[in-house]
Amino acid sequence: MERLTAITLRWLAALPILLVTAFACADTSRTVLSEEAVELLSAEPFPERALDPQGRYLMLVHKRGLQPLRALAEPMVSIGDLRINPRTNGRHAALPYYGLTLVDLWTGLERSVPVPPSHAIGYPQWSPDGSRFVFTVTVDDGIELWGATRDDPWHVRRLIGPVLNAARATPCTWMPGSRELLCQVVARKYERRDAEASAYRLLTQTVATPQPAAADERLAEYFLRSQLLLVDPAEGRVQPLGRAAVIESVEPAPGGSYFLVVKRLPPYDTAGDEAPRRVAEVWDRAGAVVHTVADADGAPPRALQWQASAPATLAWVERRGANEHLFLHPAPFNAPAQILFSTPQRYAGVQWLADTQGALFSEYDPLDRVTRVWLVDVDDVTEPPRLIGSRSVDGAIAGLGWPLTTTNAAGKAVVRAGDGYLYFKGQAQEGRAGRAYLDRVRLDTLARERVWESAGEGREDVVAVLDASGASLLTRRENAVEPPNYWVRNLRAGTARQVTHYRHPVPRLAQTRRVPLRYRRADGLEMASILYLPPDAEPGQPLPLILWAYPREYPEGARLPVPATDEFMDVERSLQLFALLEGYAVMTDVAMPIIGTGRDANDTFVQQVVANAKAAIDAAAATGMVDPNRVAVAGHSYGAFMVANLLAHSDLFKAGVALSGAYNRTLTPFGFQTERRTLWEATDTYLAISPFFYSDRIDAPLLLVHGSLDDNAGTLPIQSQYLYEAIRRNGGEAELLLLPLEGHTYRGRESVLATANAMLKLFDAELRGEQAPLPMDERTLQLNVASRAPSGASAASP
């Protein structure tokens, strides 16, 4: 198969008619879903949050859960791993944020910010001093910047016209001091601006499909090239900074006098393991290059950043010999860089402390599977680092926890270090599951003290400390039937005040019952899962079961995580939960451990997933509420790979659903998931765990679902197409649902409803016998847009 070019222009304007025809072929007009299931699948997720740096205002950011498929059918340009809308020069089908609500945490006053209607907005950014906030607005021909002041948030205004370049990242960031914004604008629009006009002049451009491939570099320059501007939102002044370039990232130094600019260099179309060419430069306020940062290979070093607590000190990580080193290099960059911390383990991050010259350095120990956190004195590199604590990555959340951060005057995220204390949040150990805590650690002695612990009724997590003393907290509380809401706690007064009041989007789902299951695998491994029962479940009437799982690797002796029973059902997992409203029992996040090291765990993958599944089914059946002879298995991505293996190597299931999976590991020959051996190093394992080679053994009906534009390297649509063909030609029963315009996950409303319909029809037919399966030719949805779009936009038929 020919390698698809990494830079392809896809014009899909003619697709809506094609989509209607394609979905009609899938018979989605004959809806089988209940109204409540459709309501759940279409439910809007709960808002995200943006807390102002002063801890006074909570900005709630509203977004839609699913988009109409026509939004995914907008024009698209693919440049490497970027998908760009050529009309707006922003991300193609970006997250559909649509509204902002401002909550005053002191008074409880809540009001909607009047954002421009009928347009997608970008995630808001508070200025470092909390006096202003800005957000982007996507219009038909570009992306604008809008904003308002904290004291008058109801009067938003446009700050920059539709010229922002959001192809790669958020186009604007606040400068230290909160008086300016640093923005990237589309270079071609800026360079052709009308000097006498007060606003930017829009250009009408018609871009043709690049033929031949030599045009790829020009196409990348056309969309990715940016001009940096310093923008004064109060006065409206705009000052260009440096020359236009293809800018991958830009970060102002905390002192505001320098800028760390990482630029991409041609060629932009890199293939295979070829690393893209980059250069990291330090610019001054005049846009002149004063320093270049490079490792031994001439590329920008890892984790390159400004030290957040110094005016202009670069920090980065390099491995030299057996150790990883954290380097510091202060301006004017004349003296050699100093090593702040060294470790033989893997670098896992650095966080700078507020109001003190300290840092938290995290290292990951792969043998013990723990992350250790060290307190480092930045002023004195000869001072030995001190170990604060550690936390496990094997699901046992107990341990040090995570440091709470705040925003300093330079706009950098720093660890809160008020009154000589660091604050860490986390969850208590198993046995007190669900109990969140807030600890503080003295900087001088590292003595640890518990400041607050939740009551254990539901789940309540610390979001932020709202004052320097640590007496006022913002928390997020939820339980099995009550959705997440925010509360303000006063630890001195012992009071708690609710500040948001969200209700259950699908009240009937709140009537479902959770049954915690503790059980052992055949080899004695202790595991845990949760069985969900539908609202009308009655004792003595065993139900058909849908089992959702995702394999995860653990070392020998690891303690497996115990799923929480007091968390709200996340509506973003609606494809896993909707069957509850159709009368099925459901198990989600079923324990699916693969015990072993990265070198040999997959040698027993098949045996372990079968043993895991059997133990889970037996535990569910032991409740008397599940019929072990009527079970279906489902999974996404690596979970889909698991599903196909379970159907090929066991008789535990009557049907399976595999979403966006990979089934032939010879098509991922250089490793996958946690497997680091190549096909040539572990040929037997690659073949043994590829269900494609055992498709003749898959005799239970399998529904394969795949996005036709899935560009995830390991899960290209051909994986599902070939497995479907193999099962059919070997006499098995399979259904292939290719979703137009979808990627690795599914974002279109029509796509999700079509998938849920196909799943429910399969479950009803195979677990209840309520209807005969449709003939294979009627149950297969395939979309070939080769005649409508260039190569790379089509999904070939098997």
Side-chain angles (χ1 to χ4, degrees):
M1 184 176 180
E2 294 182 359
R3 185 177 69 85
L4 300 180
T5 179
I7 305 181
T8 305
L9 181 65
R10 301 182 181 121
W11 290 105
L12 302 177
L15 271 180
I17 296 176
L18 241 169
L19 296 177
V20 173
T21 305
F23 279 108
C25 293
D27 199 27
T28 56
S29 59
R30 183 171 53 189
T31 302
V32 297
L33 294 168
S34 65
E35 291 184 5
E36 288 177 328
V38 173
E39 184 181 6
L40 172 61
L41 291 162
S42 305
E44 185 175 295
F46 294 104
E48 298 179 12
R49 63 176 182 266
L51 182 67
D52 95 272
Q54 306 304 315
R56 169 73 184 272
Y57 292 101
L58 178 66
M59 184 81 77
L60 300 174
V61 189
H62 305 275
K63 69 175 181 178
R64 306 190 192 283
L66 299 175
Q67 301 189 68
L69 207 56
R70 63 178 179 272
L72 304 184
E74 293 177 347
M76 178 173 67
V77 177
S78 290
I79 302 177
D81 60 350
L82 299 178
R83 290 182 172 182
I84 301 168
N85 184 332
R87 293 175 181 166
T88 65
N89 224 105
R91 289 298 183 94
H92 176 263
L95 287 174
Y97 295 116
Y98 70 90
L100 303 173
T101 299
L102 195 62
V103 181
D104 187 331
L105 298 179
W106 291 3
T107 66
L109 178 66
E110 178 178 324
R111 288 183 59 179
S112 296
V113 177
V115 302
S118 304
H119 292 296
I121 66 172
Y123 203 82
Q125 295 184 70
W126 288 97
S127 61
D129 64 1
S131 64
R132 296 176 177 272
F133 62 89
V134 295
F135 55 93
T136 59
V137 175
T138 301
V139 295
D140 292 339
D141 54 359
I143 299 176
E144 305 173 340
L145 184 70
W146 288 61
T149 65
R150 174 189 59 201
D151 298 330
D152 190 13
W154 325 124
H155 293 87
V156 298
R157 63 188 181 92
R158 188 173 69 172
L159 305 175
I160 298 179
V163 294
L164 294 179
N165 192 340
R168 189 177 295 279
T170 302
C172 295
T173 186
W174 283 98
M175 287 288 292
S178 302
R179 295 188 60 183
E180 292 178 304
L181 288 150
L182 177 64
C183 295
Q184 295 188 50
V185 299
V186 180
R188 66 180 186 273
K189 292 185 176 183
Y190 176 80
E191 290 166 350
R192 299 186 185 186
R193 69 190 188 281
D194 185 346
E196 298 179 357
S198 58
Y200 295 108
R201 179 165 55 91
L202 302 182
L203 301 178
T204 301
Q205 299 283 352
T206 301
V207 185
T209 302
Q211 296 291 340
D216 287 351
E217 300 302 325
R218 294 195 297 272
L219 185 67
E221 291 269 356
Y222 186 88
F223 288 107
L224 299 182
R225 196 160 163 265
S226 295
Q227 172 65 50
L228 294 178
L229 297 182
L230 289 170
V231 180
D232 185 329
E235 302 295 334
R237 290 192 301 269
V238 173
Q239 173 190 340
L241 177 68
R243 294 183 177 182
V246 176
I247 297 174
E248 188 168 283
S249 65
V250 56
E251 179 189 3
S257 298
Y258 296 98
F259 303 87
L260 177 59
V261 181
V262 178
K263 299 189 300 187
R264 279 289 301 271
L265 303 175
Y268 303 105
D269 182 4
T270 55
D273 295 329
E274 182 183 354
R277 295 179 61 212
R278 298 180 175 92
V279 60
E281 299 172 342
V282 177
W283 295 6
D284 62 16
R285 293 278 300 195
V289 178
V290 298
H291 183 62
T292 300
V293 195
D295 61 15
D297 297 324
R302 283 190 298 138
L304 180 60
Q305 60 187 280
W306 292 109
Q307 179 188 335
S309 54
T313 297
L314 292 169
W316 69 86
V317 173
E318 285 187 55
R319 176 167 285 277
R320 294 184 180 179
N323 285 354
E324 300 227 287
H325 306 281
L326 175 64
F327 286 90
L328 294 183
H329 199 192
F333 317 111
N334 297 326
Q338 289 185 310
I339 294 177
L340 177 63
F341 189 89
S342 297
T343 176
Q345 308 298 342
R346 298 177 186 173
Y347 166 78
V350 62
Q351 295 172 287
W352 311 100
L353 272 54
D355 305 321
T356 180
Q357 289 299 303
L360 298 182
F361 184 96
S362 298
E363 63 176 11
Y364 174 62
D365 184 340
L367 293 179
D368 294 336
R369 293 176 66 86
V370 298
T371 298
R372 300 185 186 93
V373 181
W374 298 84
L375 179 61
V376 183
D377 190 328
V378 178
D379 279 341
D380 186 359
V381 296
T382 65
E383 184 71 22
R386 295 180 291 165
L387 180 64
I388 292 185
S390 62
R391 52 179 174 266
S392 168
V393 299
D394 290 327
I397 308 179
L400 178 63
W402 289 264
L404 289 179
T405 61
T406 186
T407 302
N408 64 11
K412 308 296 184 184
V414 291
V415 176
R416 181 180 288 276
D419 294 337
Y421 289 95
L422 304 178
Y423 291 88
F424 289 83
K425 66 175 182 179
Q427 283 185 282
Q429 296 184 13
E430 185 181 350
R432 307 176 75 185
R435 293 205 175 195
Y437 65 78
L438 178 68
D439 285 353
R440 63 179 185 177
V441 176
R442 286 183 60 100
L443 281 169
D444 54 358
T445 65
L446 300 188
R448 186 165 177 163
E449 173 189 1
R450 182 134 306 175
V451 175
W452 171 81
E453 187 174 278
S454 64
E457 300 172 358
R459 179 185 178 116
E460 186 171 8
D461 296 318
V462 176
V463 173
V465 174
L466 299 179
D467 63 353
S469 67
S472 181
L473 308 180
L474 179 67
T475 67
R476 185 176 186 265
R477 182 193 294 183
E478 63 185 291
N479 60 36
V481 297
E482 295 179 357
N485 276 292
Y486 293 97
W487 294 68
V488 173
R489 284 191 169 275
N490 187 314
L491 300 185
R492 288 198 182 98
T495 59
R497 174 170 50 86
Q498 188 172 351
V499 293
T500 62
H501 300 82
Y502 294 106
R503 297 183 178 180
H504 204 301
V506 186
R508 190 163 178 264
L509 196 64
Q511 302 172 23
T512 58
R513 178 184 164 200
R514 302 185 186 194
V515 181
L517 302 177
R518 297 289 187 97
Y519 52 96
R520 292 179 181 270
R521 201 166 68 175
D523 60 2
L525 180 67
E526 294 183 356
M527 300 193 296
S529 298
I530 297 177
L531 171 66
Y532 296 87
L533 300 175
D536 54 359
E538 296 182 6
Q541 297 183 4
L543 298 168
L545 172 67
I546 316 299
L547 186 153
W548 285 84
Y550 189 94
R552 301 185 188 278
E553 186 178 305
Y554 298 92
E556 292 283 353
R559 186 176 61 180
L560 304 188
V562 177
T565 60
D566 52 3
E567 293 181 348
F568 186 74
M569 287 187 177
D570 188 353
V571 296
E572 295 191 51
R573 294 192 300 162
S574 58
L575 269 179
Q576 299 181 24
L577 299 174
F578 83 93
L580 283 169
L581 300 174
E582 305 290 357
Y584 289 88
V586 174
M587 293 177 71
T588 67
D589 296 329
V590 174
M592 195 58 60
I594 308 300
I595 305 298
T597 68
R599 294 292 301 177
D600 61 16
N602 283 327
D603 293 349
T604 57
F605 178 91
V606 170
Q607 297 90 326
Q608 292 199 57
V609 295
V610 171
N612 295 335
K614 185 178 188 310
I617 294 172
D618 290 346
T623 67
M625 297 300 298
V626 166
D627 182 350
N629 297 312
R630 292 189 295 158
V631 183
V633 61
H636 175 261
S637 194
Y638 206 53
F641 166 67
M642 171 207 71
V643 167
N645 268 301
L646 285 170
L647 296 191
H649 298 286
S650 79
D651 296 318
L652 297 170
F653 301 99
K654 293 295 185 183
V657 177
L659 312 178
S660 303
Y663 313 104
N664 183 348
R665 285 303 169 194
T666 68
L667 299 179
T668 57
F670 296 101
F672 55 89
Q673 207 72 1
T674 59
E675 179 61 67
R676 294 297 175 261
R677 297 171 295 181
T678 69
L679 169 63
W680 298 272
E681 294 173 311
T683 304
D684 291 344
T685 296
Y686 271 69
L687 297 178
I689 65 175
S690 293
F692 175 81
F693 296 111
Y694 300 89
S695 54
D696 58 328
R697 301 184 185 180
I698 298 178
D699 50 14
L702 175 61
L703 169 63
L704 293 159
V705 184
H706 221 116
S708 63
L709 296 183
D710 188 348
D711 60 355
N712 187 37
T715 58
L716 298 176
I718 194 174
Q719 291 272 6
S720 289
Q721 294 167 337
Y722 279 9
L723 181 61
Y724 164 79
E725 185 76 2
I727 294 173
R728 291 288 312 283
R729 288 182 178 272
N730 279 302
E733 186 176 351
E735 177 180 359
L736 175 61
L737 187 64
L738 281 177
L739 300 175
L741 306 172
E742 296 287 2
H744 191 57
T745 56
Y746 319 138
R747 302 172 59 191
R749 185 176 188 273
E750 297 90 336
S751 302
V752 171
L753 293 181
T755 301
N757 263 323
M759 289 168 60
L760 186 57
K761 286 180 180 179
L762 177 68
F763 297 155
D764 285 347
E766 304 303 331
L767 304 186
R768 285 177 169 162
E770 294 184 359
Q771 64 182 45
L774 295 173
M776 286 301 104
D777 56 335
E778 294 182 19
R779 298 177 68 196
T780 302
L781 169 63
Q782 300 175 37
L783 178 62
N784 190 336
V785 296
S787 62
R788 304 293 184 104
S791 174
S794 65
S797 298

